[in-house]
Amino acid sequence: MATAAEGLPEAGAQPAKQDPVVETAEEAKEPAEADINELCKDMFNKMATYLTGELTATSEDYKLLENMNKLTSLKYLEMKDIAINISRNLKDLNQKYAALQPYLEQINLIEEQVAALEQAAYKLDAYSKKLGNYCPLLLLPSSIAPCKEVKKDKVNSSSV
């Protein structure tokens, strides 16, 4: 029991006052010369790695831009070829249209003449109907009576 009681304060005894923790300062020492050299080498190696990565990224960006410019140049060449073909085809069409132009003008002239002929036919038809109403027996070869008399007889013959 003596061993168990040694670690515990006695019931009647007061706890011992603890001394405040006092920190002691140590003198700042400069690292050894070899440590500084190693740290500088390490820093320079890491900076070199960082700068190499940055320059590599920039180089890759320029390569990407170069490839994009090459593709764009190829696309422009394709568009140029398409434009040349379109221009050539348009010239061919204009030449064919110019060759057909006299025929188109003749078709327009014939169309105008047909329209004028059609109007003349309508006028002739209207005139012949009017003339037939005025003098119907003129159309018959055996009639020799004047038209005015025929008109009077027409009224009589129409009632028959």
Side-chain angles (χ1 to χ4, degrees):
M1 272 207 171
T3 57
E6 287 177 26
L8 294 175
E10 296 179 14
Q14 292 182 341
K17 287 186 179 179
Q18 292 182 355
D19 290 337
V21 178
V22 176
E23 293 183 20
T24 58
E26 291 183 22
E27 180 180 343
K29 296 179 184 176
E30 290 187 22
E33 205 53 42
D35 289 341
I36 289 178
N37 287 337
E38 288 298 318
L39 291 174
C40 285
K41 285 180 185 178
D42 186 44
M43 180 191 72
F44 282 122
N45 286 336
K46 289 181 180 176
M47 280 298 283
T49 303
Y50 170 76
L51 290 175
T52 302
E54 286 293 318
L55 291 174
T56 302
T58 303
S59 174
E60 292 297 321
D61 287 344
Y62 282 124
K63 286 179 184 177
L64 176 65
L65 284 172
E66 182 182 6
N67 289 336
M68 289 172 61
N69 285 338
K70 287 178 182 177
L71 287 174
T72 303
S73 175
L74 290 174
K75 285 292 181 183
Y76 279 126
L77 286 175
E78 288 175 13
M79 289 171 43
K80 176 187 168 191
D81 291 341
I82 290 171
I84 288 171
N85 287 337
I86 290 173
S87 175
R88 187 178 308 126
N89 290 337
L90 185 61
K91 285 179 183 177
D92 290 344
L93 284 175
N94 283 337
Q95 288 174 351
K96 289 177 183 178
Y97 180 76
L100 289 175
Q101 188 63 32
Y103 299 113
L104 294 174
E105 289 175 3
Q106 287 178 358
I107 290 171
N108 288 339
L109 182 62
I110 290 170
E111 184 180 3
E112 290 172 4
Q113 290 173 349
V114 166
L117 186 60
E118 185 180 16
Q119 290 300 320
Y122 285 137
K123 287 180 183 179
L124 183 61
D125 186 43
Y127 183 72
S128 65
K129 285 180 184 177
K130 193 177 191 182
L131 186 61
N133 288 339
Y134 183 69
C135 192
L137 294 178
L138 281 178
L139 300 175
L140 299 174
S142 62
S143 75
I144 48 174
C147 289
K148 291 185 182 178
E149 292 180 14
V150 172
K151 190 173 182 184
K152 292 179 186 177
D153 288 342
K154 182 182 174 192
V155 175
N156 294 337
S157 64
S158 63
S159 60
V160 176

